[in-house]
């Protein structure tokens, strides 16, 4: 089982109000230069929020939500400091309640 760390906010906040695209593009470039495998993902309407243990955090986050999920806790801590108005947490997966940690409930448009 893997521990996943995340920052969570409304989808509008993360994708429209914050310069997130620039941050993720810079991080991707840095990883490529270091020949490091990508360990972070932007997930719109993350399915992990449907797990019973996530009910409280889901209630507190405006919907539709979006999350940046990573296996790197330092990156998520940095994002929390950078973005400020986001929730931060972690979960273990795959599990009975979170079988696919990177799954999205968003429908393709």
């Amino acid at each position: 089982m893997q521990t996943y760390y995340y920052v969570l906010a409304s989808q509008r906040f993360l994708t429209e109000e914050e310069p997130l695209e620039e941050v993720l593009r810079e991080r991707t470039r840095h990883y490529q230069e270091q020949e490091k495998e990508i360990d972070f993902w932007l997930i719109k309407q993350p399915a992990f929020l449907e797990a019973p243990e996530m009910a409280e955090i889901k209630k507190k986050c405006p919907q539709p939500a979006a999350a940046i999920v990573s296996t790197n806790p330092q990156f998520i801590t940095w994002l929390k400091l950078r973005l400020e108005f986001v929730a931060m947490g972690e979960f273990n997966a795959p599990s009975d309640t979170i079988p696919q940690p990177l799954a999205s409930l968003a429908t393709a448009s």
Side-chain angles (χ1 to χ4, degrees), residues 17-34:
E17 296 178 25
E18 283 294 321
L20 187 62
E21 183 179 342
E22 177 185 329
V23 170
L24 295 180
R25 188 173 33 245
E26 173 60 28
R27 188 71 174 191
T28 300
R29 184 188 63 74
H30 173 73
Y31 274 39
Q32 289 170 341
E33 287 175 358
Q34 302 297 314

